[in-house]
Amino acid sequence: MNVEKTYSVAGFSFRIQADEALMERMTNLRPFEAAAAGEEIFCLQQVESLPEAVEAPIFKTDDGPGFPEITLWDTPEGYLFQMSPLPGAPVAVRLLSEKDFASARLFLLGTDDTFGLNNALMLLFAFSTARRGALEMHSSVVMNQGKGYLFLGRSGTGKSTHSRLWLENIPGTELLNDDNPILRLMPTGEARVFGSPWSGKTPCYKAKDVPVGAVVRIQQAPANSIQRLSPLQAYASLMASASAFRPFRELAEGWHRTLEGLASRVPCFTLSCLPDAAAAQLCHSTVHGS
């Protein structure tokens, strides 16, 4: 039996109509449950079937081993997505969305239902907020003295390690999210970072938000050094870690406006570092109050 629940993430609301037993397992969503809060951006309904696409897809991800595989078709009924947890793995979910992303249907094939629902929600959230000033960031983020500090970088470069070093060495630090926070340029022009229900392998699901203090791209190096980026360099750094789905050109302008606004307002840095306490102390002393 399907139940309906409403959630609020980064000041936006969405509704889910899905199997009651599945929703009970979605513990990551519970901190965000709300009767109604913020602008509703989409409604997702679980259904018992969706047809397979018969035509050639218009896009397929190629992120390599260890990453989910997403295939996309443009159909008369809307955009059809098919997702697997890993390349070549059995399909876990089909998602058919209206082309404005305000409504979508979800068919779970039973191989990994929590993966299927979470990834459907992440896709819909990214697309629905593209023109509303929000970005899902591949980032680890900590809070310290009332501000949020986002650590960017390719998988394996040490984002989570650097957050841990702040937690261990910078008093008053708290982890906000370890994989997919929401970075939002507010209508007032303020940049804020929000916790989300999606945090990778670290179960950190906090319905909290703070102003952005700085964004730091992490790269491994034999010695610790930090450099502030120009607005153009900041734009490129932010774009490289934003979950902007390239095939949707109609959403690209919205993502561009958000990235441009953030790059001109938020202090951005590159930290070349070792995985040690000195790197966290150098980063904190540089970005605090920047």
Side-chain angles (χ1 to χ4, degrees):
M1 180 181 70
N2 279 7
V3 295
E4 180 173 288
K5 292 183 179 290
T6 299
Y7 300 91
S8 179
V9 176
F12 301 105
S13 291
F14 54 86
R15 285 181 294 129
I16 306 173
Q17 299 167 354
D19 179 73
E20 185 173 14
L22 171 61
M23 295 305 294
E24 284 297 316
R25 300 203 304 272
M26 303 297 294
T27 55
N28 59 308
L29 292 173
R30 290 177 189 169
F32 302 88
E33 189 169 352
E39 177 187 3
E40 181 171 298
I41 52 175
F42 65 82
C43 178
L44 176 63
Q45 179 186 18
Q46 184 180 358
V47 295
E48 294 184 357
S49 66
L50 280 175
E52 294 186 57
V54 295
E55 298 181 357
I58 63 170
F59 180 78
K60 187 174 184 178
T61 58
D62 186 20
D63 297 325
F67 291 91
E69 185 175 76
I70 304 172
T71 308
L72 169 64
W73 291 265
D74 186 351
T75 77
E77 293 78 26
Y79 291 119
L80 177 65
F81 300 85
Q82 187 167 279
M83 290 174 273
S84 302
L86 296 169
V91 173
V93 59
R94 292 193 193 106
L95 175 72
L96 181 61
S97 171
E98 293 184 359
K99 293 194 174 181
D100 63 359
F101 306 106
S103 179
R105 288 176 285 162
L106 176 77
F107 173 47
L108 299 169
L109 282 75
T111 59
D112 191 337
D113 288 351
T114 56
F115 163 87
L117 179 53
N118 270 322
N119 279 267
L121 290 172
M122 291 174 67
L123 286 177
L124 288 172
F125 191 92
F127 304 150
S128 299
T129 59
R131 298 188 180 96
R132 293 175 167 95
L135 293 165
E136 290 178 14
M137 299 297 295
H138 183 45
S139 168
S140 184
V141 56
V142 299
M143 298 180 289
N144 184 271
Q145 296 186 18
K147 292 190 176 181
Y149 298 92
L150 291 86
F151 305 129
L152 314 182
R154 295 182 178 180
S155 295
T157 56
K159 300 181 295 297
S160 296
T161 296
H162 196 74
S163 283
R164 177 179 56 78
L165 290 168
W166 272 58
L167 293 168
E168 294 173 351
N169 297 283
I170 310 300
T173 300
E174 178 184 349
L175 185 67
L176 176 61
N177 188 276
D178 202 36
D179 194 55
N180 280 283
I182 310 301
L183 182 57
R184 186 174 177 191
L185 186 61
M186 306 300 290
T188 60
E190 180 188 34
R192 297 188 73 84
V193 60
F194 294 75
S196 82
W198 313 293
S199 187
K201 296 178 181 178
T202 304
C204 184
Y205 313 115
K206 297 179 181 179
K208 295 182 178 183
D209 61 282
V210 286
V212 177
V215 177
V216 182
R217 179 162 290 276
I218 306 293
Q219 58 185 35
Q220 297 175 352
N224 298 323
S225 64
I226 191 166
Q227 177 184 6
R228 184 157 182 171
L229 303 179
S230 68
L232 183 60
Q233 292 170 321
Y235 180 100
S237 180
L238 289 165
M239 183 175 67
S241 293
S243 296
F245 210 61
R246 311 306 176 196
F248 294 126
R249 295 183 181 274
E250 66 269 28
L251 303 182
E253 184 179 347
W255 281 316
H256 166 72
R257 287 197 306 269
T258 302
L259 287 164
E260 191 174 47
L262 290 167
S264 65
R265 290 170 172 82
V266 175
C268 294
F269 300 82
T270 292
L271 175 67
S272 302
C273 63
L274 295 162
D276 59 15
Q281 292 160 352
L282 170 65
C283 183
H284 173 257
S285 65
T286 303
V287 303
H288 180 64
S290 58

